[in-house]
Every structure is written in structure tokens, then in C-alpha cells.
Amino acid sequence: QVQLAESGGGLVQPGGSLRISCTLSGRNFRSFTTGWFRQAPGKDREFVATIFRSSSNTYYADSVKGRFTISRDNAKNTVYLQMNSLKPEDTGVYYCAGDGTIILSSIRDPRGYDYWGQGTQVTVSS
């Protein structure tokens, strides 16, 4: 059974940094594309970043490019999202997503991912 578990959310001031983590169990981590989406109240879930399974190439939403970094530790079956220069508009529930067969053209679409974590709240506020 595939499970994704996020951790590390919290409250941070604008301009601050936070790192959230997602650990995968039940599947070969190297064969999985893992990514992050976020959802603010009243808004649709939106793509943040992903790291592709075979190439380990990374992809980002324009809104976070240059501020966020996605990485993974294969030995720990964990993907990280380092978030710097945080803004109030980064506030939301951050979800980890994973899929073993997603194609590159679908990585920004939440419908392309079969597995999801429970989410972790990130609040950027003074």
C-alpha cells in the first residue's frame, strides 16, 4: 500500500524560510515522480513543484521559481520542499503527490497523480 506522509508545516513571517518533507512508503521511491501542490481557502489546488522519477529533473510553478527548491533523498524515501523568501500568498495546505506512470506533459495537473498525502498547513503571516 502506497502512503505519503507530509511534515514540517507551520507559521512563518514574510521573508522567512520553511522546509517541508514527504516520506513515501510502499513503493520504490526511485520509480516515483513526486511533487508538491498547494491549496488556499476557496481556491483550486495548484502545482508548486515536482521531481521526475527517471531523470530527477525538477519543475516549478512560475510563482515559486527562484524561491523554492524541491529535492529528494532516495535513501530516506523522502522529498523535500525548501521554501525561502516566503510571501503571504504562499499560505495554504501543501500536499505531497506521487505517481509511478505520470507523463511529463501532465506533471502540473493534479489529476495526473494517483497518490496523495494528508497535507500540511503553511501560513505566512506577520
Side-chain angles (χ1 to χ4, degrees):
Q1 182 179 358
V2 177
Q3 289 187 323
L4 295 167
E6 302 99 334
S7 62
L11 173 65
V12 63
Q13 292 187 342
S17 297
L18 196 65
R19 189 178 79 162
I20 55 178
S21 305
C22 172
T23 300
L24 168 71
S25 60
R27 188 63 60 91
N28 184 344
F29 190 67
R30 295 173 188 269
S31 68
F32 245 51
T33 293
T34 46
W36 292 94
F37 288 77
R38 66 187 181 190
Q39 190 166 20
K43 294 189 176 181
D44 292 335
R45 193 169 297 190
E46 66 171 354
F47 170 76
V48 176
T50 201
I51 186 163
F52 201 70
R53 61 183 180 276
S54 55
S55 65
S56 295
N57 287 343
T58 57
Y59 303 88
Y60 297 93
D62 288 343
S63 59
V64 306
K65 202 172 294 183
R67 299 188 298 122
F68 291 12
T69 302
I70 187 171
S71 62
R72 69 183 187 191
D73 185 332
N74 291 332
K76 295 182 178 179
N77 276 14
T78 299
V79 62
Y80 303 98
L81 186 67
Q82 177 67 43
M83 303 181 288
N84 299 328
S85 302
L86 282 160
K87 305 175 182 180
E89 51 263 43
D90 294 318
T91 294
V93 179
Y94 281 68
Y95 295 93
C96 180
D99 196 273
T101 60
I102 192 170
I103 59 176
L104 197 55
S105 59
S106 297
I107 59 172
R108 289 175 170 79
D109 187 343
R111 296 171 297 179
Y113 295 81
D114 282 341
Y115 303 99
W116 293 84
Q118 79 286 355
T120 186
Q121 178 70 43
V122 173
T123 303
V124 184
S125 175
S126 55

